[in-house]
Structure formats: structure tokens, C-alpha cells
Amino acid sequence: MDVKRIEAKWQKYWEDHKSFKAEDNSDKKKFYALVEFPYPSGVGMHLGHIKAYAGLEVVSRKRRMEGYNVLFPIGYDAFGLPTENSAIKQNIHPRVLTDRNIETFAGQLKKVGFSFDWDRVIDTTKPEYYKWTQWIFLKMFEHGLVFRDKTLVNYCPSCRVVLSNEDSQGGKCDICHSEIVQKEKDVWYLRITAYADKLLEGLKKVDYLPNIKLQQENWIGKSTGAFVDFTIKEIGETLTIYTTRCDTLFGVTFMVIAPEHPLIRQYQDKIRNIDEIHQYQEMASHKSEFERTQLVKDKTGVKIDGFTAINPVNQEEIPIYISDYVMMGYGTGAIMAVPAHDDRDYEFAKKFNIPILPVIKGGDISTAAYTGDGEMINSGFLNGLKDKKTSIKKMLEYLEENKIGHQGTQYKMKDWAFNRQRYWGEPIPIVHCQYCGDVAVPYEELPLELPDIENFEVGTDGESPLAKIESFVNCKCPKCGKDAKRETDTMPQWAGSSWYFLRYIDPHNEKEFASYEKLKYWMNVDWYNGGMEHVTRHVIYSRFWYHFLYDLGLVPTDEPYQKRTAQGLILGPDGEKMSKSKGNVIDPNDIVEMYGADTLRTYILFMGDYGLEAPWNESSIKGISRFIDKVYHLKEKVISSDEYSKNLESLIHKTIKKVSDDIETMKFNTAIASLMTLVNKYNSVDAITKKDYEVLLKLFNPFAPHVTEELNEILGNKPICESSWPKYEESKTIDETFEMVVQVNGKVRGKITIDTNTSKEEMEQLAQQIDNVKIHIKEKEIVKIITIPKKLVNIVVKEIS
RNA sequence: GCUUGUGUGGCGGAAUUGGUAGACGCACAGCACUCAAAAUGCUGCGGUUUAUGCCAUGUGGGUUCGAUUCCCACCACAAGCACCA
């Protein structure tokens, strides 16, 4: 079998015939399958890409054969730091490098035989694409979803770039893994928090894998609680806190505010130990994320000398501390501390010798905080209540009646820091005018193109390279016409990928990001598959953009993705994550070269559960190669007949059912296993009919499209990609006989093959006639007999006493 | 620490609503073909045992006629979150 010739031949056929072109004006049912478009890095495709695409590749090929109009597109998410850094290193323009990398990727994707619609390829770095990224950004600006703020940001000194919280997890830069420092910067934000509730609500309507839904819910992190106003006696100022446990208000023995809380600066002359406070603030600001996590247990803080708070429910006077275990970014930056019933407050109180007052019965507050439920004590009008919900409700009523608090909601999700100080990204289309403020670039001037510059290296000041291009920076204010300066920061990498699935629908539209008509036909994405690592960032970001466009009436549905799944990683042969430094990277090109694309595709899907990680095994792949050889050589025993062989018919119908069902649930490994069983059976008989062979080729086609097309052509048939998916008859999947298992006390003691329609009574009788069963029930009392039709008989016996 | 997964032969992994544990593949062993090797085909392949049997799905309990599957506790690994009030 000349694998290389066969694969090249069919790849050319598909390209010449545009076999996988999605039709815009079709009365067929549509199916939109989406995979995460690759970042075209210099090293080319890795096995992970192939696994990520192979799943929906199989589904798409099956759908086409089932008569659907399938949109299965691909593109490139090509803006970003790695390309820019590599371009600087090699001293070539990122544009040149990007084009080169994309070419490499396209070549590799085609060699694997993916059935993408190559007429819809998009590249986020092309002005005709990012024009619309900027356009959507300006729409958000227009609707007040973009704002600028001076804040402490995560700054990577090595990449010289501001990072979002998501990009700097664990205090390390997501890109170069160096330590992040805090730095004050002008930051552009997208107000994603305005959509927190909608993003959460929307999850109820979609069909994401449960763990994916859960991760998104946790990321949004909604909590319901109460805002309560405390008063600071000395200055008469209100200090509002957020709590989820207002039922414990009577147990408050101190308060804590975040080190960055504005009250401190505002009233510094009223604070007697202000020097000590300043020292603490200084220390807290230098603590890296890493140190903070290491010191979770060890609470630090300083009492504010000069402030006393008054508990609004019982007028108790209590001290106020500052401590870095309270974060300015969540709630109000201030908490009421109930050490008897909160672990962190407990530790703090122990360390600073603050009284601990229990208000819920249960636990032992001399050793630990009690966070469970119980009867309310020491709590005025709440005393005696046993149910947490009722207590909270009662307290809320009290707070609202007396105007000292109200119910409220908080989210963990933060607004999205949306600017980067790098060249290779979409320019933010804003002009800074000293008279008019931040002014949007007019829509008709889009795209605001990246200037073609010689030196795009970042400056030491952390400014964008664009800041050095005077012809870019200096401009006229679109509003007043006076001299103004352009924003020089660019958008983060997540920008272009936040709406790309919409562009596939209408990739060449020059007037709109996509026509409503076409969106109406194609949306929603029926099935979106990608990496688990993108579930909390990209998927949430893009849902946010889509929700916004929906509110503007520009897209037809309220959620973009109907279904979302995720594939597991492919690990190195050593069971570790593949990485250059470990030297365990397998190059897909080598595998295609050695075994061919069909073997690679099939093996990747055969390795194990598609959703779980699995190690690469260099000898296991040989099994797939052998299997494909077997399929190939079956052609020598085909006899011409348009009927299934009688002795194979039942297995064929069962296999059609199994493969069809398994593809839908992404159980590709067992689908392939059942095809192997069928092939083994074919091999054990003297001859197979043309129809027997055809059905095998069709079922196997989504996995191994090249060789199956070739064999199908040898049979004299029209191409499989233009034929229909095999159907099975339910009645033919049922055997005439079955193997009845006979158990005594749950242990297997015998098996016999009997007619499928044997009655319960007959089964029980036959069971007791088996010799080995007789031995085990001899001289024992039969207590009862459990019979499962078409399966087993279990005889329960006990000793005769 | 919290949340969510996962734990089955030498290995990757199968096992409908609880009903034959180990499908399918790899590796290994024997045989056939060959001068020989590779490839291919056939046979075997959890442990123990003479067949009957007994023991085995991370560990310990429980529910059940029957548990890889359900419940409780614990252990290990992975991913996500990380003082979220």
C-alpha cells in the first residue's frame, strides 16, 4: 500500500472538488462545528492540535454523510508576544514571520487531511479582520463598557508588559514565567463584570460538559450577602462591609480593612500610629503573590489607633485593624470579623488577643472557629433560631428596616485589563485630546492600521513601541480638530479570538463583521471543542462579546456556543507533559512521514478516553498501522454482491449502531475497537460481499479518510465524502440466542447459550439443570431466584438448618 | 486549604439503568512460513490451582441476591481556584 501516494491523491481531490465547502444558501440542515484556531508559532503544529481537531473532524465528516450542510472552519490567532519576541530575535518583521508560520501550519493541517473549509480561513492580524475587532471595541466604548483607570497592575519586567490577572497566575508571567511585580499604570478595562449575571444565567441554557460549566460558575464566583454600615466613632464616617453571614453580626469583635483602603489616606491626621500603618502598607505592597500564598496561615496586621467602630446592631465599640488578608478588590475592602465562626478571623483574633464571642451553638471555640450550623445565642432578637437561612432573612429585614444595611451581590470576576505595551496587536482606536478627553476614532477611519516600523522593540519605560512613531502618535482630535495624541497601547491576544467564530460565517464581508442574514442561518455554533485551559478565559471573554453584540441586536441568539467539550492532553511517552526541556516531544510530521495521516488520526483517537489525558506510546501506534493494513488487504476477498453476508449481518448492524452512537458521545476509542472486531470477523470468513466491505469503509472513513476513499474507488463506487452514512435496523442488532449466566449466591457457576425468547420460568428451570449448578445447590434450601430476562439467573440458597 | 476529576493485568484502556471484570490494542511467549530475519498467520496471556475452586478493579467499612458501578471514611495522583468575607 503506497500510503503517501494515496494520501496526496485524495487531499488533492478534496481540494480540487471543494468537497468540504460550506454552502451559505442551502435548504439543508446546518451544522456548525468549531475548534479553537491555532496560534501559529514557529515550531509548527504539535500533537495536541491534532487531537483537538480530530474529534470534531470525525463528527463533521459523519454529519456531511448524514446530509447536513457543515461549517467546519479554521483560521489563525496570530497576534501575540511569542511571534513578536521571536521576530525581534531573528530581526525580521512580525508580519513576515506570521505569514511564514501560517504557511507552515496550513501545509501541516492539509497533510493530516482535515476537512476544513479552506475558503473561509481567517487571520486575526490582517487589517480586514482587525478592523472589526476595533469596531466592536468602539461599540463597547460607545456603550460605556470601556473605561480607563490608574491602578496597580501585574507587570512582567521581562516581557515589559502589563498582564491580566488571568495571565499572571501564581505570580508568574504566563508567557516567560518570570516573577510579576506590581506597578502603577494607566489601564484600559472592559467592563465584563456588567455581564457577570448574564454570563452566569446563560449557562443554564447551554449544553457544556458539567465540569466546564462548573469552572465558569466558579470563575464568575457569584455570592449573595449583605452590605452593612458600621460607623467610625471618632470621625463620624460610615464604613460599609460586605458579608455572606449577616446572621453572625452579634459576634463581631473587630473589623479589618485592606491596606490600600482610602479611609487611611483621607483621615491620616486622626490616626495616632500613622507611621506604623504606613510601614505596614509599604510591606504589604512589596509582598509578592508567592509570599502571600506561603503565609496564608500566618496573619499580620496593625491596629488603627484612633478609630473605633460601632456595631449597628448592638452599639458595641470594637477596634479596627488593617491587614492584607482583606483585599481591596473584593467587596468593599472592609470586613466585619466574627472570629468565633470564621477561620481567618479566628487566627487573626488569636494572634492579636481579641475576644472571641460565639453566637452559634456547637463546636469548641477554644480550639477552632465553628463554621457549622446551630442554635443562635448571644444574638438579641435572633436567639433561639436554629436555621441559618431564617436567621439571615430575619437579620436582613432588621437591617433594611433600620436603614443600616441591605442585601447585595458580589462577584469574584474582575474587569478585563485590555491593553498591552507591545507592537504585535490591534491598535486601540482611541485619541487623547487635552480638550475633549478620550475620543473614539471615527468608524469610517477603521481599520486603524499598525504602522510599518523598523524598530518595534519595547522601550525600557514599559511604553509601547508605537509611542516612538511620531507619525502615528500625533494626530488631530476627531471631535475638535486640535492637535491630539493617539493611544499607543495595543489589545491583548484574547481580543481577536473573542469573535472569530462570527467571522467564519461571512469572512469576506467588507461592510459588516458578518451579515445578519448569514448569522441567522449559521448561529449557534452547534459544537465547540477545545482545551480545558481556555474554558475560564477565552470562552468567557467570547461569550461576553457575544452577549454584548446580542444586546445591540447584531447577532441572532443570546448564547454563542450550544455545546462545549474539551479534549485531554497528549502526554509524552514518559507520562509527563510534553516539553522541549524534557526532550519528550513527539513531532506529528515524523509520525505522518513514518505511518501516514490515517494511522496518526486513528491512533490519537484510539489512545483512550478523548476527554482524559493519555501518554503517547510509540509501539501502540503500530497496532493501528496493522489494522489499516488488514482493512486494505480485505479487498482481496471481496465477492460481488449487494447484500450483506448472512453470517455477518447481525454484527454489521451492531457495529453501525455502536460506531454511530460512540461518535456522538466522543467515545472514539470504543468506536474504533468495534471496527477492529468487525475486521477480525471479516478476516475469519472465506469471503465478504462488496456490501460488507463498503459499510466498513464508510464507518471507518471519518477516522481514516484517505485509505477508505481509495479502497472505495477500487470497488467502483462514487467517493465516500459524497455518499451517505450507513443505517442499521434495530431488529437485526438483536441476536437469536444469548449466553445465559447462572449464579449461585452471586457467583458464576455456569453458562449456557439459549434462545433469546426463553421465558423466565424456562430460564430458571434450565439453570437448575446445569451440572455445576446442581453441585452448588445440592442439599441447600433455595431462598429465592432472581431472573433478568436475556441475561442471567441468580439462585439464592442457604444451608438447611 | 477549597472545588472538580481520576485510581482496573507488564502497558494504553473496555464494561447500558448495579448483573459474566479485563472488550479492543500494545508488549511478551510458543508454533507455522523463511537459509535467516522482518512482515504475516495461528495459539496462549490477572494471580494461584490438577479440573472443581479460591483471590483480584487504590485502602477500610456499609447497602444489596449480586458492587469497578451506589453510600461513608481514608490514601495517592492530576487539573482549576487560591485569605472572595
Side-chain angles (χ1 to χ4, degrees), chain A residues 11-36:
Chain A
Q11 283 161 15
K12 184 168 186 304
Y13 179 93
W14 298 324
E15 192 154 3
D16 291 348
H17 290 76
K18 294 198 184 293
S19 301
F20 311 120
K21 190 175 166 53
E23 301 295 338
D24 280 323
N25 300 307
S26 167
D27 41 19
K28 281 187 193 171
K29 266 181 90 176
K30 66 95 185 178
F31 184 77
Y32 186 176
L34 183 66
V35 291
E36 287 168 353

mmCIF file of all heavy atoms in Angstrom, chain A residues 11-36:
data_model
loop_
_atom_site.group_PDB
_atom_site.id
_atom_site.type_symbol
_atom_site.label_atom_id
_atom_site.label_comp_id
_atom_site.label_asym_id
_atom_site.label_seq_id
_atom_site.Cartn_x
_atom_site.Cartn_y
_atom_site.Cartn_z
ATOM 1 N N GLN A 11 -6.102 14.132 -0.933
ATOM 2 C CA GLN A 11 -6.054 15.518 -0.476
ATOM 3 C C GLN A 11 -6.236 16.466 -1.657
ATOM 4 O O GLN A 11 -6.877 17.502 -1.561
ATOM 5 C CB GLN A 11 -4.740 15.799 0.274
ATOM 6 C CG GLN A 11 -4.780 15.214 1.686
ATOM 7 C CD GLN A 11 -3.421 15.032 2.323
ATOM 8 O OE1 GLN A 11 -2.424 15.587 1.849
ATOM 9 N NE2 GLN A 11 -3.364 14.255 3.389
ATOM 10 N N LYS A 12 -5.665 16.071 -2.783
ATOM 11 C CA LYS A 12 -5.814 16.892 -3.983
ATOM 12 C C LYS A 12 -7.257 16.841 -4.489
ATOM 13 O O LYS A 12 -7.834 17.850 -4.877
ATOM 14 C CB LYS A 12 -4.859 16.403 -5.084
ATOM 15 C CG LYS A 12 -4.886 17.274 -6.323
ATOM 16 C CD LYS A 12 -3.745 16.954 -7.261
ATOM 17 C CE LYS A 12 -3.688 17.939 -8.426
ATOM 18 N NZ LYS A 12 -4.937 18.033 -9.203
ATOM 19 N N TYR A 13 -7.828 15.661 -4.414
ATOM 20 C CA TYR A 13 -9.227 15.512 -4.854
ATOM 21 C C TYR A 13 -10.139 16.438 -4.059
ATOM 22 O O TYR A 13 -10.952 17.175 -4.606
ATOM 23 C CB TYR A 13 -9.687 14.056 -4.699
ATOM 24 C CG TYR A 13 -11.135 13.848 -5.115
ATOM 25 C CD1 TYR A 13 -11.458 13.461 -6.414
ATOM 26 C CD2 TYR A 13 -12.176 14.058 -4.215
ATOM 27 C CE1 TYR A 13 -12.778 13.293 -6.812
ATOM 28 C CE2 TYR A 13 -13.502 13.902 -4.595
ATOM 29 C CZ TYR A 13 -13.802 13.518 -5.899
ATOM 30 O OH TYR A 13 -15.108 13.366 -6.279
ATOM 31 N N TRP A 14 -9.985 16.398 -2.729
ATOM 32 C CA TRP A 14 -10.862 17.222 -1.869
ATOM 33 C C TRP A 14 -10.664 18.700 -2.151
ATOM 34 O O TRP A 14 -11.611 19.475 -2.158
ATOM 35 C CB TRP A 14 -10.584 16.944 -0.382
ATOM 36 C CG TRP A 14 -10.863 15.527 0.019
ATOM 37 C CD1 TRP A 14 -11.867 14.738 -0.448
ATOM 38 C CD2 TRP A 14 -10.134 14.744 0.952
ATOM 39 N NE1 TRP A 14 -11.808 13.498 0.145
ATOM 40 C CE2 TRP A 14 -10.759 13.472 1.015
ATOM 41 C CE3 TRP A 14 -9.017 14.961 1.762
ATOM 42 C CZ2 TRP A 14 -10.293 12.445 1.845
ATOM 43 C CZ3 TRP A 14 -8.558 13.957 2.592
ATOM 44 C CH2 TRP A 14 -9.195 12.700 2.626
ATOM 45 N N GLU A 15 -9.404 19.082 -2.371
ATOM 46 C CA GLU A 15 -9.110 20.491 -2.623
ATOM 47 C C GLU A 15 -9.706 20.909 -3.977
ATOM 48 O O GLU A 15 -10.382 21.927 -4.076
ATOM 49 C CB GLU A 15 -7.594 20.722 -2.600
ATOM 50 C CG GLU A 15 -7.247 22.187 -2.565
ATOM 51 C CD GLU A 15 -5.882 22.434 -1.916
ATOM 52 O OE1 GLU A 15 -5.182 21.458 -1.554
ATOM 53 O OE2 GLU A 15 -5.511 23.605 -1.794
ATOM 54 N N ASP A 16 -9.491 20.080 -5.000
ATOM 55 C CA ASP A 16 -9.984 20.410 -6.349
ATOM 56 C C ASP A 16 -11.509 20.467 -6.388
ATOM 57 O O ASP A 16 -12.087 21.312 -7.057
ATOM 58 C CB ASP A 16 -9.505 19.365 -7.380
ATOM 59 C CG ASP A 16 -8.010 19.472 -7.604
ATOM 60 O OD1 ASP A 16 -7.414 20.479 -7.137
ATOM 61 O OD2 ASP A 16 -7.437 18.558 -8.219
ATOM 62 N N HIS A 17 -12.144 19.556 -5.666
ATOM 63 C CA HIS A 17 -13.609 19.476 -5.720
ATOM 64 C C HIS A 17 -14.283 20.308 -4.644
ATOM 65 O O HIS A 17 -15.503 20.296 -4.537
ATOM 66 C CB HIS A 17 -14.066 18.012 -5.593
ATOM 67 C CG HIS A 17 -13.721 17.202 -6.799
ATOM 68 N ND1 HIS A 17 -12.450 16.758 -7.051
ATOM 69 C CD2 HIS A 17 -14.484 16.773 -7.841
ATOM 70 C CE1 HIS A 17 -12.433 16.072 -8.174
ATOM 71 N NE2 HIS A 17 -13.656 16.072 -8.685
ATOM 72 N N LYS A 18 -13.479 20.991 -3.848
ATOM 73 C CA LYS A 18 -14.023 21.753 -2.697
ATOM 74 C C LYS A 18 -15.046 20.896 -1.949
ATOM 75 O O LYS A 18 -16.174 21.315 -1.677
ATOM 76 C CB LYS A 18 -14.652 23.065 -3.179
ATOM 77 C CG LYS A 18 -13.645 24.040 -3.769
ATOM 78 C CD LYS A 18 -14.201 25.441 -3.812
ATOM 79 C CE LYS A 18 -13.243 26.434 -4.481
ATOM 80 N NZ LYS A 18 -12.007 26.666 -3.699
ATOM 81 N N SER A 19 -14.612 19.690 -1.613
ATOM 82 C CA SER A 19 -15.519 18.710 -1.016
ATOM 83 C C SER A 19 -16.115 19.168 0.304
ATOM 84 O O SER A 19 -17.173 18.695 0.707
ATOM 85 C CB SER A 19 -14.785 17.394 -0.784
ATOM 86 O OG SER A 19 -14.284 16.909 -1.997
ATOM 87 N N PHE A 20 -15.420 20.061 1.000
ATOM 88 C CA PHE A 20 -15.865 20.415 2.356
ATOM 89 C C PHE A 20 -16.309 21.864 2.463
ATOM 90 O O PHE A 20 -16.292 22.458 3.517
ATOM 91 C CB PHE A 20 -14.748 20.099 3.353
ATOM 92 C CG PHE A 20 -14.194 18.719 3.171
ATOM 93 C CD1 PHE A 20 -12.851 18.509 2.877
ATOM 94 C CD2 PHE A 20 -15.033 17.611 3.259
ATOM 95 C CE1 PHE A 20 -12.355 17.231 2.689
ATOM 96 C CE2 PHE A 20 -14.545 16.325 3.076
ATOM 97 C CZ PHE A 20 -13.201 16.135 2.778
ATOM 98 N N LYS A 21 -16.685 22.404 1.325
ATOM 99 C CA LYS A 21 -17.138 23.790 1.302
ATOM 100 C C LYS A 21 -18.517 23.895 1.950
ATOM 101 O O LYS A 21 -19.417 23.125 1.652
ATOM 102 C CB LYS A 21 -17.216 24.249 -0.156
ATOM 103 C CG LYS A 21 -17.452 25.722 -0.334
ATOM 104 C CD LYS A 21 -17.378 26.076 -1.820
ATOM 105 C CE LYS A 21 -17.942 27.448 -2.107
ATOM 106 N NZ LYS A 21 -17.372 28.516 -1.292
ATOM 107 N N ALA A 22 -18.650 24.850 2.859
ATOM 108 C CA ALA A 22 -19.951 25.100 3.498
ATOM 109 C C ALA A 22 -20.763 26.021 2.600
ATOM 110 O O ALA A 22 -20.251 27.028 2.131
ATOM 111 C CB ALA A 22 -19.748 25.743 4.861
ATOM 112 N N GLU A 23 -22.023 25.655 2.352
ATOM 113 C CA GLU A 23 -22.879 26.442 1.455
ATOM 114 C C GLU A 23 -23.664 27.476 2.247
ATOM 115 O O GLU A 23 -24.296 27.151 3.242
ATOM 116 C CB GLU A 23 -23.867 25.521 0.735
ATOM 117 C CG GLU A 23 -23.225 24.426 -0.091
ATOM 118 C CD GLU A 23 -22.426 24.970 -1.266
ATOM 119 O OE1 GLU A 23 -22.702 26.113 -1.683
ATOM 120 O OE2 GLU A 23 -21.527 24.256 -1.751
ATOM 121 N N ASP A 24 -23.652 28.721 1.784
ATOM 122 C CA ASP A 24 -24.399 29.755 2.502
ATOM 123 C C ASP A 24 -25.892 29.711 2.217
ATOM 124 O O ASP A 24 -26.705 29.962 3.077
ATOM 125 C CB ASP A 24 -23.859 31.145 2.159
ATOM 126 C CG ASP A 24 -22.609 31.437 2.957
ATOM 127 O OD1 ASP A 24 -22.555 31.021 4.119
ATOM 128 O OD2 ASP A 24 -21.678 32.047 2.411
ATOM 129 N N ASN A 25 -26.228 29.415 0.975
ATOM 130 C CA ASN A 25 -27.645 29.378 0.631
ATOM 131 C C ASN A 25 -28.055 27.939 0.391
ATOM 132 O O ASN A 25 -28.015 27.440 -0.706
ATOM 133 C CB ASN A 25 -27.913 30.205 -0.619
ATOM 134 C CG ASN A 25 -27.502 31.640 -0.395
ATOM 135 O OD1 ASN A 25 -27.921 32.264 0.570
ATOM 136 N ND2 ASN A 25 -26.645 32.153 -1.261
ATOM 137 N N SER A 26 -28.431 27.308 1.472
ATOM 138 C CA SER A 26 -28.747 25.888 1.370
ATOM 139 C C SER A 26 -30.029 25.627 2.135
ATOM 140 O O SER A 26 -30.283 26.250 3.159
ATOM 141 C CB SER A 26 -27.597 25.071 1.963
ATOM 142 O OG SER A 26 -28.007 23.745 2.152
ATOM 143 N N ASP A 27 -30.837 24.714 1.628
ATOM 144 C CA ASP A 27 -32.021 24.372 2.412
ATOM 145 C C ASP A 27 -31.795 23.122 3.252
ATOM 146 O O ASP A 27 -32.701 22.618 3.918
ATOM 147 C CB ASP A 27 -33.275 24.239 1.531
ATOM 148 C CG ASP A 27 -32.981 23.530 0.231
ATOM 149 O OD1 ASP A 27 -31.921 22.846 0.194
ATOM 150 O OD2 ASP A 27 -33.766 23.636 -0.729
ATOM 151 N N LYS A 28 -30.528 22.658 3.242
ATOM 152 C CA LYS A 28 -30.177 21.549 4.122
ATOM 153 C C LYS A 28 -30.109 22.036 5.560
ATOM 154 O O LYS A 28 -29.942 23.217 5.819
ATOM 155 C CB LYS A 28 -28.774 21.039 3.753
ATOM 156 C CG LYS A 28 -28.688 20.155 2.550
ATOM 157 C CD LYS A 28 -27.271 19.647 2.481
ATOM 158 C CE LYS A 28 -26.925 18.992 1.182
ATOM 159 N NZ LYS A 28 -25.482 18.704 1.096
ATOM 160 N N LYS A 29 -30.181 21.088 6.491
ATOM 161 C CA LYS A 29 -29.968 21.447 7.895
ATOM 162 C C LYS A 29 -28.503 21.781 8.078
ATOM 163 O O LYS A 29 -27.623 21.147 7.509
ATOM 164 C CB LYS A 29 -30.332 20.262 8.790
ATOM 165 C CG LYS A 29 -31.760 20.321 9.281
ATOM 166 C CD LYS A 29 -32.066 19.140 10.174
ATOM 167 C CE LYS A 29 -31.765 19.434 11.636
ATOM 168 N NZ LYS A 29 -32.163 18.300 12.504
ATOM 169 N N LYS A 30 -28.233 22.809 8.896
ATOM 170 C CA LYS A 30 -26.830 23.215 9.069
ATOM 171 C C LYS A 30 -26.209 22.578 10.300
ATOM 172 O O LYS A 30 -26.905 22.215 11.254
ATOM 173 C CB LYS A 30 -26.743 24.723 9.160
ATOM 174 C CG LYS A 30 -27.398 25.343 10.401
ATOM 175 C CD LYS A 30 -26.421 25.570 11.530
ATOM 176 C CE LYS A 30 -27.112 26.064 12.801
ATOM 177 N NZ LYS A 30 -26.231 26.256 13.922
ATOM 178 N N PHE A 31 -24.911 22.461 10.273
ATOM 179 C CA PHE A 31 -24.168 22.031 11.453
ATOM 180 C C PHE A 31 -22.879 22.827 11.504
ATOM 181 O O PHE A 31 -22.075 22.783 10.575
ATOM 182 C CB PHE A 31 -23.868 20.531 11.405
ATOM 183 C CG PHE A 31 -23.174 20.014 12.640
ATOM 184 C CD1 PHE A 31 -23.885 19.796 13.810
ATOM 185 C CD2 PHE A 31 -21.809 19.768 12.639
ATOM 186 C CE1 PHE A 31 -23.240 19.329 14.959
ATOM 187 C CE2 PHE A 31 -21.162 19.301 13.769
ATOM 188 C CZ PHE A 31 -21.886 19.081 14.939
ATOM 189 N N TYR A 32 -22.686 23.568 12.606
ATOM 190 C CA TYR A 32 -21.507 24.402 12.753
ATOM 191 C C TYR A 32 -20.610 23.769 13.817
ATOM 192 O O TYR A 32 -20.947 23.757 15.002
ATOM 193 C CB TYR A 32 -21.925 25.824 13.154
ATOM 194 C CG TYR A 32 -20.812 26.863 13.206
ATOM 195 C CD1 TYR A 32 -21.102 28.201 13.473
ATOM 196 C CD2 TYR A 32 -19.481 26.532 12.984
ATOM 197 C CE1 TYR A 32 -20.112 29.171 13.521
ATOM 198 C CE2 TYR A 32 -18.480 27.493 13.024
ATOM 199 C CZ TYR A 32 -18.793 28.816 13.316
ATOM 200 O OH TYR A 32 -17.804 29.768 13.380
ATOM 201 N N ALA A 33 -19.492 23.229 13.374
ATOM 202 C CA ALA A 33 -18.517 22.619 14.277
ATOM 203 C C ALA A 33 -17.326 23.551 14.403
ATOM 204 O O ALA A 33 -16.738 23.935 13.397
ATOM 205 C CB ALA A 33 -18.078 21.266 13.741
ATOM 206 N N LEU A 34 -16.985 23.910 15.621
ATOM 207 C CA LEU A 34 -15.905 24.873 15.820
ATOM 208 C C LEU A 34 -14.788 24.274 16.662
ATOM 209 O O LEU A 34 -15.043 23.650 17.696
ATOM 210 C CB LEU A 34 -16.465 26.122 16.522
ATOM 211 C CG LEU A 34 -15.505 27.288 16.759
ATOM 212 C CD1 LEU A 34 -15.065 27.916 15.444
ATOM 213 C CD2 LEU A 34 -16.140 28.346 17.669
ATOM 214 N N VAL A 35 -13.558 24.479 16.194
ATOM 215 C CA VAL A 35 -12.383 24.114 17.003
ATOM 216 C C VAL A 35 -11.562 25.377 17.214
ATOM 217 O O VAL A 35 -11.614 26.302 16.409
ATOM 218 C CB VAL A 35 -11.522 23.027 16.317
ATOM 219 C CG1 VAL A 35 -12.256 21.703 16.298
ATOM 220 C CG2 VAL A 35 -11.107 23.434 14.907
ATOM 221 N N GLU A 36 -10.842 25.421 18.313
ATOM 222 C CA GLU A 36 -10.053 26.622 18.627
ATOM 223 C C GLU A 36 -8.959 26.808 17.591
ATOM 224 O O GLU A 36 -8.126 25.924 17.399
ATOM 225 C CB GLU A 36 -9.451 26.485 20.021
ATOM 226 C CG GLU A 36 -10.496 26.651 21.103
ATOM 227 C CD GLU A 36 -9.994 26.234 22.481
ATOM 228 O OE1 GLU A 36 -8.880 25.693 22.564
ATOM 229 O OE2 GLU A 36 -10.733 26.442 23.443
#
